[in-house]
Amino acid sequence: MKQMFINGQWTHASSQAAADVTNPATGEVVDQVPYAGRAEARAAVEAAHAAFPGWSRLSAEERAEYLRKIYRLIVEHADHLAEVMTLEQGKPFEEARGEVLWGADFMLWYAEEARRVYGEMIPASRPTQRILVQRQPVGVVAAITPWNFPSSMITRKLAPALAVGCTVVVKPAPETPLSAIALFELFEQAGLPKGVVNLVTGDSQEIGREFLENDKVRKISFTGSTQVGKYLIEQSAAQVKKLSLELGGHAPYIVFEDADLDAAVEGLVFNKFQNGGQTCICVNRIFVHESIAAAFSEKLTSKIAELRIGNGMEPGVQIGPLIHERALSKVAEHVEDALAKGAGLLCGGQRLLEGTFAQGYYYSPTVLTHVTEEMKIFHEETFGPVAPLIPFSSEEEVVQAANQTPYGLAAYFYTKDLARTMRVSEQLEYGMIGINESALGYVQAPFGGVKQSGMGREGGRHGIDDFLDYKYLNLNF
Ligand code: NAP
């Protein structure tokens, strides 16, 4: 059984309670982690609070050196971290390794950014005055992370927080705490002072309540569903806590009549089936111009037929299982609803149950055609390997349909027309847009959404802002 990390010590829950971590490929229990509650969360917040003065007073260069050490350790242990991730989350080993290394890059990026937290001097109103603007770390940060990116969602929050001098308490998702623990083993090896980073696993309601009600927590950084994001907004109002929220999405993918069809198909297969379709920026509505719809679906289904599904630890596997039974049920519900309301099925459309698939949570890659507004899949995030195709006839109509959602995280379109590129990207109500491109997660770019997809940005120089407060000094001599 694994332990949590509080104030530089590995520890069990005070009640000794534990929770199982299950392999979604086999249904087997991989390990156990402490099932802690409010008391442990409070101890972690206290430790982070006690560590804050020392950590925030180090020079940026000293903190950067710790981040570089962590980067080197993650790269050195990438295979181990990837294996831990595949066993608890299901994504193929190579994909898990890619996530681990991408996550490590945030450490390196923010080690550099730490040294560029510049202030300002502003022309004052009187000759004896000087106006200075300083930027200071917000204080203790509580980070709540999801299961779909168990390593990089921790490092993407932790790296900017540590870089500017904040201290952190992390609560990982119950499905994937082992990746968090494996990272914390490396943070310990890097020699971070005690209390600077803390990890609490267990009852999310109880731990969340402590984060919300303890006034030593100055900021909550959350990645997860819009539903929980809204709850955190409401409940954090009492203490006016700073919030960063990376929430759900419902990405449109528009293929215009002048698009490079092969590139559009390839981009879609990568985006839609990476992580089994369980990513917040994955496409959920594919609008294809009616003049190319038949050619597009033919190319798409033949590419999908080449995908290899299976246990992520087997070499060559490209799609693993879904995370749990609930995820499978939601995917099946969306597909059944669409078929009952008149959608066509080009491939897939079922849970896989033959042989070893029966022990895991596998769903076959699916393509639906003639999807309409009446269907659930048109409005709700599916979070699974289902590609719903929707024909369209005009640019105006498709932009309006693409914006017809409360979400605003990511959108994509394929065209060769530059004037259209500018017009459409200005009209799409999304925080991130891929144009002839279906990958968006880069360390140097500001990742995040508008509307009900959240607030704040992670990554890039922008990702550091949410961990800093402005302080303006008015000097009169
Ligand atoms: P979720 O149910 O919102 O859970 C996310 C995390 O919040 C988990 O650790 C969960 O723990 C915790 N949590 C739930 N209720 C809480 C509470 N009252 N107090 C404190 N913590 C609480 O989301 P999910 O199903 O794990 O993740 C999928 C969602 O995340 C999707 O909607 C996806 O689009 C979104 N996502 C967004 C981004 C982005 O960058 N925008 C990236 C990845 C994922 P428990 O499970 O124990 O409740």
Side-chain angles (χ1 to χ4, degrees):
M1 171 163 161
K2 295 281 187 291
Q3 291 176 294
M4 306 177 290
F5 193 69
I6 299 175
N7 203 22
Q9 301 288 322
W10 291 99
T11 171
H12 292 287
S14 49
S15 65
Q16 302 298 315
D20 290 345
V21 182
T22 308
N23 183 342
T26 60
E28 285 161 8
V29 172
V30 184
D31 210 331
Q32 286 197 313
V33 295
Y35 192 75
R38 203 158 169 166
E40 293 84 350
R42 185 170 308 149
V45 170
E46 293 295 337
H49 187 252
F52 177 71
W55 180 249
S56 56
R57 273 191 224 120
L58 290 182
S59 70
E61 183 47 37
E62 284 169 311
R63 287 194 299 268
E65 187 48 33
Y66 281 108
L67 296 196
R68 283 191 289 266
K69 253 190 228 166
I70 294 171
Y71 168 79
R72 289 192 293 269
L73 283 165
I74 296 178
V75 171
E76 210 177 295
H77 294 86
D79 283 355
H80 168 65
L81 291 164
E83 187 176 339
V84 169
M85 193 190 300
T86 298
L87 291 177
E88 66 179 351
Q89 203 271 354
K91 67 175 73 174
F93 176 81
E94 281 307 325
E95 197 176 317
R97 197 167 184 282
E99 183 195 328
V100 165
L101 295 175
W102 176 57
D105 271 349
F106 287 103
M107 292 292 164
L108 211 51
W109 174 269
Y110 285 109
E112 291 303 314
E113 281 302 298
R115 305 191 300 175
R116 300 190 191 107
V117 179
Y118 302 135
E120 276 177 85
M121 190 147 184
I122 297 176
S125 299
R126 291 199 308 270
T128 55
Q129 262 185 338
R130 297 292 180 273
I131 293 180
L132 264 66
V133 182
Q134 286 184 346
R135 308 193 73 195
Q136 293 192 315
V138 294
V140 174
V141 173
I144 305 174
T145 55
W147 49 262
N148 57 352
F149 287 90
S151 191
S152 58
M153 291 303 105
I154 293 178
T155 55
R156 192 161 80 175
K157 294 179 190 309
L158 224 115
L162 296 181
V164 300
C166 296
T167 53
V168 188
V169 181
V170 176
K171 190 212 87 70
E175 295 84 356
T176 56
L178 302 175
S179 290
I181 291 168
L183 274 177
F184 270 71
E185 285 166 359
L186 301 182
F187 300 157
E188 184 188 28
Q189 275 187 45
L192 283 172
K194 68 174 187 170
V196 169
V197 292
N198 305 273
L199 178 71
V200 188
T201 54
D203 183 334
S204 64
Q205 302 292 323
E206 287 290 303
I207 297 168
R209 186 113 311 273
E210 183 62 25
F211 290 168
L212 288 160
E213 291 180 3
N214 189 326
D215 60 8
K216 289 179 178 146
V217 174
R218 299 295 298 276
K219 178 191 166 74
I220 298 178
S221 178
F222 171 75
T223 297
S225 62
T226 296
Q227 189 193 358
V228 175
K230 286 180 183 175
Y231 165 83
L232 294 173
I233 294 172
E234 278 167 20
Q235 299 292 316
S236 63
Q239 293 185 358
V240 194
K241 282 188 205 291
K242 219 174 160 79
L243 287 178
S244 298
L245 305 171
E246 299 283 353
L247 308 177
H250 201 258
Y253 192 91
I254 307 170
V255 188
F256 286 105
E257 61 277 23
D258 63 341
D260 174 337
L261 272 201
D262 290 326
V265 167
E266 201 166 310
L268 180 62
V269 170
F270 164 77
N271 175 296
K272 180 72 246 187
F273 299 104
Q274 182 200 24
N275 206 0
Q278 304 171 107
T279 76
C280 54
I281 57 168
C282 90
V283 170
N284 222 76
R285 290 165 298 153
I286 303 144
F287 297 98
V288 186
H289 192 268
E290 59 192 8
S291 64
I292 51 162
F296 185 85
S297 46
E298 198 175 309
K299 279 176 188 282
L300 179 63
T301 37
S302 70
K303 270 264 171 219
I304 289 174
E306 292 166 15
L307 293 175
R308 190 158 159 228
I309 308 163
N311 185 322
M313 288 309 292
E314 285 168 23
V317 162
Q318 292 155 294
I319 304 189
L322 295 177
I323 189 75
H324 42 43
E325 191 78 42
R326 281 197 316 284
L328 263 180
S329 306
K330 186 173 183 195
V331 171
E333 185 193 324
H334 279 193
V335 171
E336 280 155 26
D337 171 77
L339 293 177
K341 291 174 181 161
L345 182 68
L346 288 186
C347 61
Q350 61 195 349
R351 181 176 182 173
L352 295 174
L353 288 165
E354 323 82 69
T356 51
F357 284 139
Q359 280 108 50
Y361 309 119
Y362 294 95
Y363 199 87
S364 57
T366 301
V367 178
L368 298 172
T369 59
H370 300 96
V371 168
T372 61
E373 276 182 40
E374 289 68 43
M375 301 171 188
K376 280 185 186 169
I377 203 162
F378 194 94
H379 304 281
E380 294 174 26
E381 203 179 13
T382 308
F383 242 52
V386 184
L389 303 181
I390 307 154
F392 74 92
S393 54
S394 76
E395 181 184 306
E396 198 187 11
E397 165 208 342
V398 77
V399 168
Q400 200 208 5
N403 285 336
Q404 198 187 320
T405 166
Y407 296 110
L409 191 60
Y412 311 83
F413 61 90
Y414 281 67
T415 181
K416 292 186 191 127
D417 181 336
L418 185 57
R420 168 182 276 160
T421 297
M422 297 316 296
R423 249 187 346 259
V424 172
S425 36
E426 281 161 16
Q427 289 169 36
L428 286 173
E429 297 165 353
Y430 289 86
M432 299 176 283
I433 302 186
I435 301 148
N436 300 329
E437 174 61 76
S438 71
L440 290 170
Y442 292 95
V443 284
Q444 66 272 40
F447 191 103
V450 298
K451 293 163 74 180
Q452 294 191 24
S453 288
M455 52 176 91
R457 291 293 179 271
E458 290 187 344
R461 69 178 172 77
H462 318 81
I464 220 159
D465 291 345
D466 279 3
F467 296 96
L468 290 164
D469 284 327
Y470 284 107
K471 185 181 278 177
Y472 131 60
L473 313 181
N474 188 347
L475 282 77
N476 191 4
F477 283 103

